[in-house]
Amino acid sequence: HLSQLHMVFLHFEHEFPDQEFPLAHIQSQLLTAFKCHEPKPSNLQRDVAAALSRIGWDHTFEFVTREGLSLDMAQPEAMTA
């Protein structure tokens, strides 16, 4: 899936900043595919989010950063996930 390759691109960019990702020429297509892909959180992920809410950890579920990283749960204001 192109959407998954976007995540690989982000990892590669972070881990190897001095190298060019082999599929860099289609990076915009990877990002578009990622943004169009509907997240499918698991029941466990939903249960964890609910438990964190119950103990007072306010968060955004399925948060996407401006870089395109998909975080299961995050507090964007505090920059925690």
Side-chain angles (χ1 to χ4, degrees), residues 40-81:
K40 295 180 182 142
S42 68
N43 287 335
L44 176 61
Q45 185 180 335
R46 292 179 192 281
D47 291 347
V48 169
L52 291 171
S53 292
R54 282 194 302 274
I55 64 169
W57 196 72
D58 294 325
H59 59 280
T60 302
F61 189 67
E62 291 294 333
F63 179 76
V64 177
T65 69
R66 64 178 147 68
E67 295 86 6
L69 289 171
S70 176
L71 305 175
D72 293 344
M73 290 154 259
Q75 290 179 317
E77 321 74 47
M79 297 182 72
T80 59

Side-chain angles (χ1 to χ4, degrees), residues 18-36:
D18 57 333
Q19 296 181 31
E20 185 173 341
F21 184 61
L23 299 175
H25 62 285
I26 62 166
Q27 193 275 328
S28 64
Q29 291 171 288
L30 301 179
L31 178 58
T32 299
F34 176 78
K35 287 183 175 182
C36 291

